[in-house]
Amino acid sequence: AQKITQTQPGMFVQEKEAVTLDCTYDTSDPSYGLFWYKQPSSGEMIFLIYQGSYDQQNATEGRYSLNFQKARKSANLVISASQLGDSAMYFCAMRPLNAGGTSYGKLTFGQGTILTVHP
Amino acid sequence: NAGVTQTPKFQVLKTGQSMTLQCAQDMNHNSMYWYRQDPGMGLRLIYYSASEGTTDKGEVPNGYNVSRLNKREFSLRLESAAPSQTSVYFCASSERGDADTEAFFGQGTRLTVV
């Protein structure tokens, strides 16, 4: 079974500053993918960034980067230069990448972190 | 492209009533998912379909049934709704279950059971 833990129910950041949202995971699968999604107050789920467990480098997408520490089983999201529009719920998720096993194909989410950006 | 379309967007049911939530995707994806979202619980997987004709239970399948009608459509049925099933339901799809591609989500269905 796989499990995602986001220990920060809420985070606050000043506009233009950077913020790190924590995500730790537990899995017995040898290869897996890690995802971050944003859910604004309107409710839609927006994909932000992906990191494969086999990737040598940390993923980056614009102002988003993923601080991936495989040995510590953490995949923290870093948002640089925060904007008011970044205020939203953020979810970390993972999925095994190998066929077979009870978790095959299942995308598992954490509890989420609500980020509030102050002007 | 519409992506993932869910219907209805809102629904109020009385305890014991049944209903089917519809989901369709036009991206030719193989994998489809049903999640429920409750405050403080994140998104919890109800059922998963790796491909047409296959379904698998997720974390919280009790009280639900699913049907993968064809590659495009994946429906979720509540046979006898209970207040504990009040939630926001999301359908999602991805290219393959073992792929490194993201899942695309519908807009959600807000269901209230009274």
Side-chain angles (χ1 to χ4, degrees), chain A residues 29-92:
Chain A
D29 294 288
S31 297
Y32 46 89
L34 294 153
F35 303 80
W36 276 92
Y37 283 83
K38 173 184 179 181
Q39 186 180 44
S41 58
S42 52
E44 72 265 36
M45 294 287 288
I46 303 168
F47 166 72
L48 295 177
I49 194 167
Y50 169 82
Q51 176 84 46
S53 62
Y54 44 79
D55 291 336
Q56 296 298 312
Q57 292 187 327
N58 287 341
T60 61
E61 287 286 348
R63 294 186 299 111
Y64 304 107
S65 61
L66 207 152
N67 183 2
F68 180 49
Q69 298 186 46
K70 191 172 182 177
R72 298 181 63 182
K73 293 190 175 180
S74 72
N76 299 338
L77 177 70
V78 181
I79 305 174
S80 63
S82 297
Q83 301 172 356
L84 296 178
D86 293 335
S87 293
M89 175 80 86
Y90 289 81
F91 291 101
C92 179

